[in-house]
Every structure is written in structure tokens, then in C-alpha cells.
Amino acid sequence: MNRQSNTYTIIYSAVLVLVVGIVLSVVYQALRPMQKENIANDTKRQILASARITPEGGASIADLYAEHITSSYIVNSNGEKIDSSVDPFDVNVAIEVKKPADERLLPVFECTTDNGLKYIIPVYGAGLWGPIWGYVAFDNNGDTIYGAYFAHQGETPGLGAEIEKPAFSSQFDGKDIFSPNGEFMSVDVVKVGKEPQDKAWVHAISGGTITSQGVQTMLYDSLLPYSAFLLSLKNNNNE
């Protein structure tokens, strides 16, 4: 065949594209299990981070998770554990938050720490440029936040992206989300000088107003459906 002909060029290009496509597909399939494991480990890292647990001395995330996360289950908006074929770890929170509260699958992770049993709840919302998400760990009284971890997809570095830094997330430690009479209040994210007197608050990120508002909305919308479950913990703790 004439290598200078159009026919040869077309055939050669088609074969090259086919071969490259097959090679890429084989490589993708070969690496897929590793990719899934890495994604799972990153999620486990975030869950543990909300309970102030970080790997030290070469400890693996998988081992830490197995050691500290002693139970996980799904509850409904009435605070009742439900039977589900879905593993709590695999619940797509991004999808669940779009549903009415009484239709959501609400995963809970029980975590043992040096400071006692903690209950970890996932949260999901919207920032300025894309989704934001995280995990909030509660003391066994179901009211007081023990720790929090937040992440984002594309917030502005030095501004909204600061939600991922401990300087912001550590402000939530010790905050109560219920009023003394049991009313769900969540936590406000406010500018300096705008602190409310009747509920828990943290300071917003300077220059990251929209992202900070996104965190406040995310917490309220994500935690409200858990209020019955958290109140049951609070009531049991007071008995």
C-alpha cells in the first residue's frame, strides 16, 4: 500500500487510535482497584480527622479506621436505626441532601477516642465555586461538637479554601447545637462584631464570606434531619 495515500493515512490513524484506546482501557481497569482504595482511605482519613485522629508513626489509615470506628449504621429523620442494603460508608451524601428530610439515608459512625465515644455525621453543601463537605463529631451527649473537618472542591486559595484549615474548623470544638430547652439551633458562622448572644457561633473567614455562609447553611441543612437522633443521645445522657 502506498504510504503516501490518504487511505493509508486513515487506516494507520484508525489502528493507532484503537491500540491506544485498548491500552488505556487495560491500564484503567488494572489501576481501578487501587483508585477505589485510595478514595476510600481519603474518606476514612476525613472521618477520623473530625474526631481529631490523625496517623502517626507510620500507622495506616485503614488500620486506624478499623481500630476507632467501632460501629456504623443508618438512621431516619425520626432518629431510628433502619435496615438498609446500603453500607453507611457508601451512602452518597451529595444525593441524600437533595431529598426531603424524611426520605434521606442518614449515616452515623461511632468512634472510640481517648476522650470517650463520639458520633460522627457527614455534612454536604455548596461553597462559592463548587461543593463543600465534611464531617462533624459529637460528644455522647448528642449536643456538643467534639471536632469538625471540612473540605472543598474549588474554593479560592487563601480565602474560601481556608475552611479546610484547623484554624477555622477548630473553632467548632465545644459548641452546642441545641438550646437549653432542646431546640435545634446549629452553629452560626459570622463576621467579627456580629456575634449572636443566644446561640453558638464561630468567626467567618476574612474575605471568604460566601464560602462561610455556605458552611453555615451546610451545617443547618445537614444536621437538622439528625436532630431527633442527637436529641435521643442527649436525653439518654441526662437520665
Side-chain angles (χ1 to χ4, degrees):
M1 181 181 294
N2 182 4
R3 294 189 176 185
Q4 303 301 319
S5 67
N6 290 336
T7 301
Y8 177 85
T9 301
I10 293 173
I11 294 175
Y12 179 85
S13 299
V15 171
L16 182 62
V17 169
L18 179 62
V19 171
V20 171
I22 292 174
V23 171
L24 290 176
S25 178
V26 170
V27 171
Y28 174 80
Q29 293 300 325
L31 295 178
R32 185 58 178 163
M34 186 180 299
Q35 292 173 338
K36 287 184 176 181
E37 182 180 0
N38 289 339
I39 292 172
N41 282 336
D42 187 56
T43 300
K44 292 176 180 179
R45 177 189 65 80
Q46 295 180 29
I47 292 173
L48 291 172
S50 71
R52 308 184 202 169
I53 298 172
T54 56
E56 296 179 357
S60 73
I61 291 296
D63 289 343
L64 276 178
Y65 187 87
E67 175 185 353
H68 291 279
I69 303 300
T70 55
S71 180
S72 61
Y73 43 85
I74 294 174
V75 299
N76 59 23
S77 59
N78 294 322
E80 305 161 333
K81 292 183 182 181
I82 62 174
D83 293 326
S84 175
S85 59
V86 181
D87 188 313
F89 187 82
D90 295 327
V91 171
N92 190 327
V93 181
I95 292 177
E96 296 302 317
V97 296
K98 298 177 182 178
K99 300 178 181 178
D102 60 356
E103 295 179 11
R104 295 186 196 179
L105 298 177
L106 305 171
V108 177
F109 303 90
E110 292 187 2
C111 180
T112 58
T113 73
D114 293 339
N115 295 310
L117 182 64
K118 310 302 174 185
Y119 295 83
I120 301 175
I121 291 173
V123 294
Y124 191 94
L128 174 60
W129 302 113
I132 56 177
W133 64 90
Y135 295 89
V136 181
F138 288 89
D139 287 337
N140 61 6
N141 64 10
D143 186 7
T144 306
I145 294 176
Y146 176 71
Y149 175 86
F150 303 115
H152 64 93
Q153 179 174 294
E155 299 307 289
T156 307
L159 298 175
E162 295 297 298
I163 64 170
E164 200 164 3
K165 301 291 182 63
F168 175 73
S169 60
S170 63
Q171 294 184 87
F172 290 85
D173 300 356
K175 303 296 183 181
D176 292 337
I177 64 167
F178 291 100
S179 68
N181 64 5
E183 179 185 359
F184 176 75
M185 303 289 285
S186 192
V187 179
D188 280 358
V189 183
V190 301
K191 294 181 179 180
V192 174
K194 299 293 184 179
E195 299 86 354
Q197 300 300 313
D198 57 349
K199 62 184 301 188
W201 54 267
V202 301
H203 282 139
I205 297 165
S206 179
T209 301
I210 295 179
T211 306
S212 297
Q213 291 174 346
V215 171
Q216 175 175 305
T217 301
M218 171 178 70
L219 290 174
Y220 188 91
D221 292 346
S222 296
L223 296 180
L224 179 60
Y226 284 93
S227 57
F229 170 75
L230 294 171
L231 275 176
S232 69
L233 298 178
K234 184 177 176 69
N235 293 334
N236 290 338
N237 189 69
N238 289 332
E239 291 179 355

